[in-house]
Amino acid sequence: MFRPPINRAMRSLDRSFFRKDILIAAAGIRDTKKISDIRAELRKSRDMLRMERIASVQPYPMDGNPANGRKCLLLRPGVKHDDSSTWSPKLQDLVTSNAIGILPFNLELGYDYWTYHDIMSSILPEDEQDELPTGFSIVGHVAHLNLKDQYLPYKDLIATVILDKNHNIRTVINKIDDVGTHSEYRTFDYEVLAGPPDLNVEVREGECIFQFDYSKVYWNSRLSTEHRRIVDRFNEGEAVCDVMAGVGPFAVPAGRKRVFVWANDLNPYCNKSLEDAILKNKVSEYVTAFNDDGRAFIRTSAMDLLNLEKAVNIKEKSSRGRNPSTQAPSPRIIRTLTQPRTFSHYVMNLPATAMSFLDVFVGLYKGQEALFIPHTETKLPMIHVHCFSTKSDDNRIEELQICGDISARIGYKITPKTPEVTIFDVRDVSPQKRMFCASFRLPAQVAFHE
């Protein structure tokens, strides 16, 4: 009854087609002062119409026009105004007491009422609705689709309806190749399906703001939970090396935690957006941006950090109740954070190829054994490397394969049972593909290898 009209032949959106008149019954309220009490009674007896986005209280119908401010309550399907046998005992009691009258009501629904899913379900062929395109990404004001071939004939329809039904979206694009297929910067080719070709977006993630040209940098809104999970592992005052930092979804929130982050990306557009994010989010004391090759950066940053002295004074917050006419005293220094000489964590969020960078850690701290346990209390760093693998119900096969790959690249065997090794299931990428994050402590036999 409340489904939209169906037109499987539609190729150009006709919004007027989706107008529908539905004849139902309504309870006309004799005394509008009693409407709240009567509504409560009819809700309790389940006689009210309960549909999302349809107000249960409507103007009293009188030849299609409101009459003297009177109101009526829409009733559930099945109640007929001219058949008292369809009335519940509660409706009959209210009619008998002259509190209400049961009358016909023409409910008018139009294109604006139905959702994106409703509209597309009434247009697309029935045999192509099992994977209806609903899981699009939203990046700022841009909706990012990855349409399968069978939906390409309907791409303009899909984009127009998305634009209509999501008022925060101004532009709809469709990816036409895989991420990184033609670009080492993890960007992708796309086509604009609806709206202006403006991909300069602003994204808020957690308490951080990022602004960038989505056509020139990599961003995945579906990784926000993973960003937070990794950053939660960092402690104030630690040093972190973010090897493939992008625009800073790990680095910037870490900086807000007073973590010293050396954030690198090969893409100069990412580097520029990262520098902007550092300033915008006021973390320049803690986060430093670099534009270098990842393999080279792993080695040079480890050595450079050894020789760089840096400290940040933590000051008490100024009092809000201070008299603005008096000069504020200099904020008192509460404590000082000194940047460590070694990294506590390495983050390598480039799942397609990050594993291939692991051999750089072989001999990374050769000759620097005195910096770490047992000579000091400093542990060797944790490595967090993202990767793709297959899918299984328990991920056991994938865990063994990932650990085997890591072992082959660093020349030292680790397994899922090795202390401090975790293989975290990040997200499904496709029906046969899953993204993981392997975290492990850099073995001494690898770090100090001759």
Side-chain angles (χ1 to χ4, degrees), residues 357-377:
F357 289 69
L358 290 177
D359 63 286
V360 182
F361 289 96
V362 178
L364 182 65
Y365 285 110
K366 181 178 63 176
Q368 303 293 337
E369 290 86 346
L371 294 171
F372 301 97
I373 288 176
H375 308 286
T376 70
E377 295 182 356

Side-chain angles (χ1 to χ4, degrees), residues 78-89 91-92 95 102:
V79 177
K80 300 184 183 300
H81 74 281
D82 55 357
D83 184 357
S84 61
S85 67
T86 64
W87 304 353
S88 70
L91 284 174
Q92 294 183 25
V95 170
I102 308 297

Side-chain angles (χ1 to χ4, degrees), residues 226-287:
E226 176 66 0
H227 298 154
R228 185 167 59 251
R229 185 187 73 87
I230 293 292
V231 172
D232 284 346
R233 300 192 62 161
F234 306 156
N235 296 314
E236 179 184 283
E238 289 183 334
V240 170
C241 182
D242 192 352
V243 184
M244 302 97 172
V247 301
F250 294 104
V252 174
R256 290 179 62 89
K257 289 182 63 174
R258 296 174 180 155
V259 175
F260 295 96
V261 185
W262 288 31
N264 173 71
D265 202 276
L266 181 63
N267 183 346
Y269 295 106
C270 276
N271 179 257
K272 178 63 170 63
S273 297
L274 174 57
E275 290 178 339
D276 291 343
I278 290 170
L279 294 175
K280 184 177 290 294
N281 293 280
K282 300 178 181 180
V283 292
S284 56
E285 289 184 305
Y286 298 97
V287 184

